[in-house]
Amino acid sequence: MILPIVAYGDPVLKRKARAIDSSYDGLDVLIASMWETMYHAHGVGLAAPQIGKSIRLFVIDGSPFADDEDASPSDHIVLKSFKKVFINAEIIAEQGDDFSFAEGCLSIPDIREEVTRPSVIRLRYQDEHFELHEEEFSGLAARIIQHEYDHIEGVLFTDKLSPLKKRLIKGRLEKISRGQVEAEYRMKFHLSKLKRK
Ligand code: NI
């Protein structure tokens, strides 16, 4: 089922999400709906808070980024088959050179800004079968995870911008929270309480 995507301004996006276990009710259906919602909106990642659930779950399919102009040859190889469910993820280390990449977010339509983050992460997470993994990710794969991981920590990429950049986009963010934005997908706005196609 395609779910409405929660827009900037909803407190659920600022909340640190809670861990879940295999007894979580309806998890398979929820994950299937998150894939469907993400693909419908042409996203490469979607975190549960973005559909209004404050739990530590996100899904990623990085394949559309495989041919991005910023993708290195190794990004290209990794991203082509980078499709995963991440449950209870924990970044246990961030290292490598900082690099800058223009991020966007399905909860913040029409805004893209350069964000600087370390290029390598070590991540512990469970997959959809609650099997535990510990893996290192780098390049754009790491970048997508860092962005989605921030969502389950209650952080948005706009929180990471310089004070000047924040001031420059403040008005546009307020408009999004009021529902004054056009998106190709259905969104849920906290302030206006109206739903749009
Ligand atoms: Ni996002």
Side-chain angles (χ1 to χ4, degrees), residues 45-47 50 103-108 147-148 151 155-157:
L46 185 71
Q50 294 182 279
E103 294 188 22
C105 181
L106 294 176
S107 295
I108 313 174
H147 177 107
E148 299 310 326
H151 276 300
V155 175
L156 299 171
F157 80 90

Side-chain angles (χ1 to χ4, degrees), residues 67-68 71 74 121 133 140 156 159 162-163 192:
D67 298 309
D68 190 274
S74 67
I121 59 167
H133 301 262
L140 291 183
L156 299 171
D159 297 329
S162 69
S192 68

Side-chain angles (χ1 to χ4, degrees), residues 15-160:
R15 207 174 293 148
K16 190 177 159 117
R18 68 176 174 87
I20 57 168
D21 61 30
S22 56
S23 69
Y24 189 86
D25 209 26
L27 187 62
D28 290 349
V29 174
L30 177 65
I31 290 171
S33 294
M34 285 177 65
W35 284 126
E36 203 182 344
T37 302
M38 185 192 86
Y39 288 126
H40 174 74
H42 303 290
V44 293
L46 185 71
Q50 294 182 279
I51 45 101
K53 299 229 180 286
S54 192
I55 57 173
R56 298 183 78 80
L57 161 66
F58 55 83
V59 300
I60 290 177
D61 182 346
S63 54
F65 274 11
D67 298 309
D68 190 274
E69 55 180 17
D70 289 322
S72 69
S74 67
D75 284 329
H76 178 78
I77 293 162
V78 171
L79 292 173
K80 273 178 113 164
S81 58
F82 183 47
K83 180 178 172 179
K84 277 179 196 291
V85 175
F86 295 86
I87 296 172
N88 301 331
E90 258 182 276
I91 290 182
I92 46 184
E94 277 189 302
Q95 60 219 48
D97 297 337
D98 281 354
F99 88 107
S100 181
F101 182 77
E103 294 188 22
C105 181
L106 294 176
S107 295
I108 313 174
D110 294 340
I111 296 186
R112 294 191 79 79
E113 293 291 344
E114 296 280 333
V115 181
T116 302
R117 301 179 188 263
S119 54
V120 182
I121 59 167
R122 206 165 173 82
L123 192 79
R124 193 179 292 145
Y125 66 96
Q126 286 164 288
D127 60 26
E128 63 271 48
H129 312 295
F130 285 87
E131 247 166 81
L132 190 64
H133 301 262
E134 194 178 308
E135 250 175 278
E136 194 171 276
F137 297 93
S138 60
L140 291 183
R143 174 58 63 120
I144 304 168
I145 293 170
Q146 286 163 315
H147 177 107
E148 299 310 326
Y149 182 81
D150 272 354
H151 276 300
I152 61 168
E153 291 287 303
V155 175
L156 299 171
F157 80 90
T158 47
D159 297 329
K160 305 214 162 235

